[in-house]
Every structure is written in structure tokens, then in C-alpha cells.
Amino acid sequence: LGPAVHLPYREALLGIAVPALIEHVRSLFIAYAAEEETRTTGAASEPSQKCCEVRLVLSHLKKLRIDEAAVSSGLPQASDRARAACRLAGSHGLAMAFLPQLATLATV
């Protein structure tokens, strides 16, 4: 993480942007998993648009570094256990929000 930057209304911005990001990424992962389940298994074809999007999102998630305040604002209803897991993940804490979807992707 770089030096702290003071943004006016940071908490309010995080409270809107982070949940929207989480919802968008979750819906992408769910749509991709559903698409892959209906795809014919024997057909060799080019990767779908959703597949390319998932790859891009995963590469960005791998690089993403975010502070605890941003993670907390993105997971307001998370259990204490989920919050603890995010804290343990440190600057990768936001990726923990996608564990159920990532587990599903791993089995597709």
C-alpha cells in the first residue's frame, strides 16, 4: 500500500463503490459458472466472452491491494468469522468475499 491519500467522503464512497464491485464480480462468476455448465463438453471452441472477463477479473483480484476500511465497507453484513478471515488476508481481504464463487469456478 502506498502513502495514505485523504479523500473527502471516503467512507461514503467506499460504502457505495465496494458493495457494487462485489455484487458485479459475484454476478459475473455466477453467470460464467452457469454458462460453463450448459456448454457442450466435447466441443472445442474459442473461450467465451464471459471466460475472458473472468480471467481479467481474476488477474485484477490477484493484484488488488486494499485496506481494512475498504474491506469492511464492502462486507457490512459479514459475520465475525468472515471479517476475521478478511483481516487475516490483509491487503487481499476483498478476495475473501468471493470464496464461495471461486470454489464454484474451481469445479466447473
Side-chain angles (χ1 to χ4, degrees):
L1 295 175
V5 176
H6 175 68
L7 294 173
Y9 309 107
R10 182 177 191 267
E11 297 302 318
L13 289 170
L14 288 173
I16 295 167
V18 175
L21 172 68
I22 290 171
E23 183 59 34
H24 181 74
V25 171
R26 281 182 177 157
S27 65
L28 172 66
F29 288 168
I30 290 167
Y32 172 73
E35 181 181 283
E36 286 300 303
E37 286 178 4
T38 60
R39 202 172 200 184
T40 57
T41 55
S45 62
E46 293 294 315
S48 70
Q49 177 64 32
K50 283 206 184 350
C51 179
C52 296
E53 290 174 24
V54 166
R55 287 180 185 164
L56 179 67
V57 168
L58 290 173
S59 70
H60 285 299
L61 273 177
K62 183 178 178 184
K63 296 178 211 169
L64 181 67
R65 304 292 183 269
I66 195 164
D67 64 24
E68 190 175 331
V71 173
S72 294
S73 68
L75 306 169
Q77 292 95 5
S79 68
D80 290 339
R81 197 169 177 189
R83 287 181 185 279
C86 290
R87 275 193 302 277
L88 285 172
S91 63
H92 294 286
L94 193 61
M96 300 299 284
F98 305 110
L99 281 181
Q101 291 79 31
L102 291 172
T104 300
L105 290 179
T107 62
V108 173

